[in-house]
C-alpha cells in the first residue's frame, strides 16, 4: 500500500521568487513551487498539499500560527502516514520545538524543511531537502510503523530532532545543527536511520494534540556590565510568568548581590527562571561553580543542555497547562519530548 504524505506549505525562502523590478524575494503560488520539482511525480507515494494563504514570512511566525499548524496536522492525522512542513529557516527551530510539545505521543513523522535559496534558482538546495524529507516522512518499518515518529528538521543530508536544533548559519546550505544530540538520520548515497536515537512512542495509543500556548515569557542574556535597573524592570513586568536567562559557560552569572536579590524576588513572586547557557554546545551544571550554586539558591532552575528555542516554547506549553509555577519548574527539569539530556 502506498504511503500518503501531506505537504504543508507555510512560506519561506523555498517558495520565493525574485521580483525583477526590485530584486527582492517574494512568495509565489504553491503550484509554481511544485512545478519546479517534477521529480515528485516519480515517487511511489501519494502526496497531497495544504497551503497557508497568504504564505507566512518566517519572521512573522507566532504562537497562533503554531496552533493553526497543530490543527492542520491533527485534522489530517488519520489520513496520512507522515507530514512535511515547508517553513522559513529563521524561526524553523522555534516552530519545530513548539510542535514537538503540542503533538503528544506523536506516532508519525512531522518533518520540517526549507532552503537557503529559492527552489526556482539553479543552485537551490530546496529540491534535495524537499525530496528527502518526503522520503523520510513516508518511511515505514517491516511492521508498517513510521521509522521516525517525531518532529524533525531535515537540512543538507541530516535529520535532526526538532527541539534540539538551532539555526547555525545564514549562508551555508548546512544551516542547522543539533549540538547536544546526534543526528537521527544521515542521508548520503544511502539513508541511514539511527534507531537508537529516535523516540519510541506508544503506537497502541493515539496522538494527543494540544492547541494552547501562553507566551508570557521572555529571553534575556547576561553580559559584563548588565544594568540592575533593566533587570529589575524585567523581573517586575506585569503578567510575565517565566524567564529564559542565558548565562555564561556552564550556567554562571555575575555574583552581584543585586542580581541574586532580583532573581530571588522574581522566584518568590511566582516567576519561573530557567538557566540556559549562551554556548552552542554543552550543558548548564549549576553545582559546578560557586556562581551556579548561588543561582540555585535564588530559585533558578537548570535548563540542562536545552536550546533557547526549545526552552522558551516548552515554557509556553507548560504554563498554558499548569497554573502552579512549582509544577512548571518540576517539568522543566524533566525530558518530556526528548528535549534535554539528564
Amino acid at each position: 500500500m502506498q504511503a500518503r504524505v501531506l505537504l504543508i506549505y507555510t512560506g519561506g525562502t523555498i517558495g520565493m521568487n525574485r521580483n525583477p523590478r526590485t530584486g527582492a524575494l517574494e512568495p509565489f503560488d504553491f503550484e509554481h513551487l511544485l512545478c519546479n520539482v517534477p521529480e515528485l511525480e516519480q515517487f511511489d507515494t501519494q502526496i497531497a498539499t495544504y497551503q497557508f494563504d497568504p504564505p507566512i514570512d518566517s519572521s512573522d511566525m507566532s504562537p497562533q500560527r503554531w496552533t493553526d499548524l497543530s490543527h492542520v496536522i491533527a485534522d489530517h492525522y488519520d489520513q496520512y502516514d507522515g507530514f512535511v512542513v515547508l517553513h522559513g529557516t529563521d524561526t524553523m527551530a522555534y516552530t519545530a520545538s513548539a510542535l514537538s510539545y503540542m503533538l503528544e505521543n506523536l506516532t508519525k513523522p512531522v518533518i520540517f524543511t526549507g532552503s537557503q535559496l529559492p527552489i526556482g534558482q539553479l543552485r537551490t538546495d530546496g529540491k534535495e531537502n524537499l525530496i528527502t524529507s518526503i522520503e523520510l516522512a513516508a518511511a515505514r518499518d517491516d511492521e508498517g510503523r513510521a521509522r521516525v515518529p517525531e518532529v524533525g528538521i531535515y537540512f543538507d543530508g541530516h535529520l535532526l530532532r526538532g527541539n534540539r536544533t538551532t539555526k547555525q548559519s545564514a549562508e551555508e546550505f548546512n544551516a542547522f545543527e543539533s549540538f547536544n544530540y546526534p543526528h537521527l538520520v544521515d542521508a548520503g548515497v544511502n539513508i541511514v536511520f539511527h534507531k537508537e536515537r529516535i523516540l519510541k512512542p506508544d503506537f497502541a495509543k493515539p496522538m494527543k494534540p494540544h492547541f494552547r500556548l501562553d507566551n508570557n515569557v521572555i529571553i534575556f542574556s547576561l553580559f559584563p556590565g548588565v544594568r540592575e535597573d533593566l533587570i529589575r524592570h524585567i523581573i517586575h513586568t506585569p503578567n510575565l510568568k517565566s524567564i529564559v536567562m542565558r548565562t555564561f559557560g556552564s550556567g554562571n552569572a555575575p555574583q552581584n548581590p543585586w542580581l541574586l536579590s532580583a532573581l530571588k524576588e522574581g522566584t518568590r513572586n511566582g516567576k519561573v527562571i530557567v538557566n540556559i547557557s549562551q554556548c552552542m554546545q554543552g550543558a548548564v551544571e549549576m553545582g559546578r561553580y560557586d556562581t551556579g550554586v548561588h543561582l540555585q539558591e535564588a530559585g533558578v532552575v537548570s535548563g540542562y543542555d536545552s536550546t533557547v528555542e526549545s526552552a522558551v516554547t516548552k515554557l509556553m506549553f507548560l504554563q498554558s497547562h499548569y497554573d502552579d509555577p512549582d509544577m512548571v519548574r518540576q517539568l522543566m527539569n524533566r525530558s518530556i519530548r526528548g528535549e534535554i539530556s539528564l
Side-chain angles (χ1 to χ4, degrees):
M1 183 177 174
Q2 278 187 319
R4 294 163 296 177
V5 172
L6 182 62
L7 181 59
I8 304 169
Y9 176 56
T10 68
T13 299
I14 194 168
M16 294 289 183
N17 203 11
R18 194 170 296 280
N19 185 312
R21 183 177 61 83
T22 65
L25 292 176
E26 299 174 346
F28 57 41
D29 186 77
F30 189 43
E31 295 305 318
H32 190 172
L33 185 152
L34 295 177
C35 288
N36 279 276
V37 196
E39 294 88 344
L40 294 180
E41 296 179 6
Q42 299 177 36
F43 265 107
D44 186 27
T45 300
Q46 295 179 30
I47 303 171
T49 60
Y50 182 97
Q51 179 177 5
F52 276 59
D53 189 18
I56 307 160
D57 186 279
S58 181
S59 301
D60 291 327
M61 196 52 68
S62 67
Q64 179 57 55
R65 298 297 192 181
W66 298 336
T67 297
D68 294 341
L69 185 54
S70 186
H71 273 293
V72 171
I73 293 171
D75 291 347
H76 296 87
Y77 195 74
D78 294 335
Q79 302 165 41
Y80 296 95
D81 299 295
F83 302 85
V84 173
V85 182
L86 301 180
H87 192 290
T89 59
D90 286 348
T91 58
M92 186 184 292
Y94 285 97
T95 303
S97 295
L99 265 289
S100 76
Y101 300 119
M102 299 173 80
L103 303 175
E104 183 180 347
N105 196 49
L106 186 63
T107 57
K108 299 178 181 182
V110 175
I111 311 295
F112 281 81
T113 195
S115 66
Q116 296 285 61
L117 288 174
I119 208 160
Q121 290 192 15
L122 191 60
R123 292 185 55 250
T124 185
D125 54 326
K127 279 192 178 183
E128 193 278 323
N129 287 345
L130 175 57
I131 289 168
T132 305
S133 292
I134 292 173
E135 193 163 349
L136 294 174
R140 293 177 285 183
D141 62 18
D142 294 338
E143 298 179 48
R145 293 173 171 173
R147 298 195 70 174
V148 192
E150 60 174 284
V151 177
I153 290 179
Y154 180 80
F155 244 80
D156 196 41
H158 308 296
L159 181 68
L160 316 170
R161 177 165 294 164
N163 59 31
R164 292 283 196 146
T165 305
T166 294
K167 186 176 181 182
Q168 67 169 352
S169 176
E171 298 289 331
E172 297 178 5
F173 287 155
N174 186 24
F176 291 90
E177 188 53 87
S178 54
F179 292 96
N180 290 317
Y181 197 77
H183 301 163
L184 305 180
V185 176
D186 290 301
V189 173
N190 298 305
I191 296 180
V192 180
F193 293 83
H194 302 289
K195 290 176 61 176
E196 70 282 1
R197 304 171 185 171
I198 297 170
L199 290 176
K200 296 171 179 62
D202 187 342
F203 286 97
K205 294 182 179 178
M207 186 275 288
K208 183 179 179 182
H210 298 273
F211 306 114
R212 288 184 294 136
L213 294 167
D214 182 339
N215 65 343
N216 284 300
V217 56
I218 196 167
I219 303 166
F220 73 70
S221 293
L222 296 178
F223 57 90
V226 63
R227 286 177 46 172
E228 176 180 359
D229 58 333
L230 298 181
I231 294 296
R232 289 196 179 277
H233 184 74
I234 292 170
I235 294 290
H236 291 135
T237 301
N239 302 320
L240 181 66
K241 293 183 178 179
S242 57
I243 296 168
V244 175
M245 182 174 66
R246 301 183 68 233
T247 56
F248 309 130
S250 56
N252 303 310
Q255 296 194 64
N256 298 331
W258 66 260
L259 177 60
L260 295 173
S261 171
L263 295 175
K264 281 182 182 177
E265 184 180 355
T267 301
R268 195 164 53 244
N269 291 335
K271 290 179 172 58
V272 178
I273 305 173
V274 181
N275 187 353
I276 298 290
S277 175
Q278 294 178 23
C279 300
M280 298 287 272
Q281 194 163 18
V284 164
E285 299 178 58
M286 290 169 67
R288 187 173 181 182
Y289 295 105
D290 200 36
T291 55
V293 172
H294 289 156
L295 292 178
Q296 277 184 312
E297 292 171 351
V300 176
V301 297
S302 176
Y304 298 95
D305 58 352
S306 175
T307 64
V308 171
E309 297 93 335
S310 180
V312 73
T313 52
K314 184 177 180 180
L315 283 166
M316 288 184 188
F317 173 74
L318 292 176
Q319 61 199 25
S320 72
H321 288 74
Y322 302 98
D323 293 327
D324 181 4
D326 284 333
M327 178 59 71
V328 175
R329 292 187 188 100
Q330 287 181 36
L331 291 171
M332 287 303 293
N333 281 170
R334 294 183 202 167
S335 177
I336 62 173
R337 303 286 191 271
E339 71 281 1
I340 52 177
S341 303
L342 296 172

